[in-house]
Amino acid sequence: MISVEDALAQILERVHLLGREKVALLSSLGRVLAEPIVALKEIPPWPNSAMDGFALLAAETTGASESRPVALQVVGAIPAGVLPSRPLGGGEVMRIFTGAPLPEGADSVIPQEEVARQDNHVLIRRPVAEGEFVRPRGEDIRAGDEVLAAGQEITPAEIGLLASLGHASVMVYDQPRVAVLSTGDELVEIDQEQKPGKIINSNSYSLMAQVRDAGGIPVNLGIAPDHLASIEERLRWGLSADLIVTSAGVSVGEYDFVRSALERIGAQLHLWQVSMRPGKPITFGTAGAVPVFGLPGNPVSAMVTFELFVRPALRKMGGHGQIFRPTLTALAIGPIENPGQRRGYLRVTLHARDGAFWARLTGNQGSAILKSMVQADGLAVAPPATTISAGGPVVVIPLRREFTREVDAAP
Ligand code: AMP
Ligand code: MG
């Protein structure tokens, strides 16, 4: 039996980056950027006003006060989107609006609320500091800056930035297409009649959802009975995908044919059995360029092994700069026991309190208790043959987005 780290290393060494494609800007939401974005221009392109007010030269207002205001002549107006018609001269101001370019000869803006108007003059009652209420050229972005790196996931903020730099389309990595196969004589589809002894195939759905969540595109291969040739046939359909995931039939029972079926489609099997709980029997192989995963059948084991092994593989194939979820250290609410000889991945809820995260077991940790995955905010990593005492530190892999940022213990 090998460790989780060794298994991961073997897997990641054998999965490769997919291709790239150009997509329309908005369609790139949630995709992974496949090229660095270097700004070719400054944003903002010219110094502009941060307020509705009057553009002026700060030096003209030296010594201005309530009792001795400085009067400056209003010589024009600059609405947003219009260039000033001429430079500003001595003793002059120009009416200016938010976002409008500053005229040459001006270096600051005084908000309109602060001045008194008198005919075609304004009265300035305080000295204005150079640069006040001016957004300098290049304040946000300088030409030549690498503003986005390849491997970055595109969120609404990236979309806005790309738009502001004039990218109507963007190069992103291909999403891995993942064929998902469930095996087992006991399985029926959601919409089939559930005869006695049969259960609904839920793994295909949780796994396809995990594929999507990891940035991939699921392809449903349905259910194969525990029959070598049937499993082999469906696995062959999966060879046109970028990766194949199966569930169940990988233990040592008489009806466990997945490993043999994988060999019959030409897969080389690189590992079996990882020292972890839940989910010891996990198979990884490669059929030509297609990585294949045989995950265990118990619903929690299937999801946890997907999380630990398939997700990083998919993220690597899809060009993600961050393959693994960041972990956090929480404090145990109540003791967390792992008497066995394998590392435990225990379902916990996470609670923020007094500037720290606290982790509480969700209850029954059986590998068929799918409800506990619904409750879990994360997986607590419990070393073999140890008890983490109440209040003791425990490493947690957060599974929900709300917890995916590393948080300092101190507020
Ligand atoms: P196996 O790995 O074939 O021994 O299956 C282990 C357990 O997982 C058994 O209780 C199966 O009924 C259950 N199981 C296998 N496949 C699925 C599936 N697709 N959906 C839900 N439960 C499953
Ligand atoms: Mg079975």
Side-chain angles (χ1 to χ4, degrees), residues 18-327:
L18 301 174
R20 314 187 299 171
E21 62 170 333
K22 202 153 203 160
V23 298
L25 178 57
L26 191 55
S27 305
S28 73
L29 182 66
R31 302 285 298 269
V32 181
L33 191 61
E35 60 184 351
I37 301 294
V38 175
L40 298 178
K41 57 183 179 189
E42 312 273 324
I43 297 180
W46 6 257
N48 68 95
S49 179
M51 294 294 266
D52 292 339
F54 295 87
L56 49 77
L57 188 65
E60 305 247 29
T61 64
T62 313
S65 67
E66 289 287 343
S67 53
R68 306 189 58 146
V70 172
L72 297 169
Q73 191 188 355
V74 183
V75 295
I78 319 155
V82 172
L83 285 179
S85 52
R86 68 166 178 85
L88 198 69
E92 296 178 347
V93 299
M94 279 189 202
R95 179 85 175 105
I96 195 165
F97 298 89
T98 305
L102 230 63
E104 225 177 284
D107 61 7
S108 45
V109 170
I110 186 158
Q112 61 189 44
E113 309 84 88
E114 292 194 48
V115 304
R117 305 282 303 250
Q118 206 175 61
D119 306 326
N120 62 340
H121 283 73
V122 287
L123 297 180
I124 315 283
R125 302 194 204 84
R126 65 167 176 89
V128 174
E130 191 184 326
E132 214 175 311
F133 294 112
V134 172
R135 304 189 284 217
R137 170 181 157 89
E139 180 187 41
D140 187 3
I141 286 159
R142 307 211 71 99
D145 281 355
E146 185 183 305
V147 288
L148 298 174
Q152 213 163 323
E153 190 172 321
I154 298 175
T155 74
E158 277 82 13
I159 299 264
L161 186 60
L162 287 161
S164 71
L165 290 169
H167 294 267
S169 60
V170 49
M171 192 69 89
V172 293
Y173 287 111
D174 289 336
Q175 296 173 277
R177 289 178 317 112
V178 181
V180 176
L181 175 65
S182 283
T183 70
D185 284 339
E186 72 277 36
L187 303 177
V188 295
E189 284 298 356
I190 292 184
D191 50 2
Q192 278 176 336
E193 189 197 347
Q194 201 182 337
K195 297 222 171 74
K198 304 289 180 188
I199 61 165
I200 291 177
N201 162 24
S202 61
N203 285 355
S204 287
Y205 290 91
S206 48
L207 293 172
M208 288 194 292
Q210 283 180 297
V211 167
R212 275 208 195 157
D213 210 40
I217 300 171
V219 180
N220 191 354
L221 296 183
I223 300 167
D226 291 316
H227 178 255
L228 186 57
S230 308
I231 299 174
E232 180 189 343
E233 183 192 12
R234 288 190 186 236
L235 283 176
R236 282 192 195 284
W237 302 348
L239 285 173
S240 59
D242 298 311
L243 187 144
I244 298 175
V245 177
T246 71
S247 73
V250 279
S251 314
V252 289
E254 290 90 300
Y255 295 101
D256 292 333
F257 295 117
V258 168
R259 291 172 58 79
S260 317
L262 285 171
E263 280 167 342
R264 290 197 21 183
I265 65 161
Q268 250 191 303
L269 302 186
H270 306 297
L271 63 94
W272 186 47
Q273 296 205 332
V274 178
S275 181
M276 61 180 285
R277 185 190 184 89
K280 174 176 76 169
I282 149 165
T283 294
F284 169 73
T286 39
V290 181
V292 295
F293 286 86
L295 304 185
N298 274 307
V300 174
S301 311
M303 288 193 76
V304 170
T305 49
F306 184 101
E307 168 65 31
L308 293 184
F309 302 111
V310 187
R311 187 177 190 276
L314 291 179
R315 306 264 294 184
K316 179 172 180 193
M317 294 168 80
H320 266 278
Q322 192 182 0
I323 290 180
F324 300 109
R325 295 191 203 262
T327 58

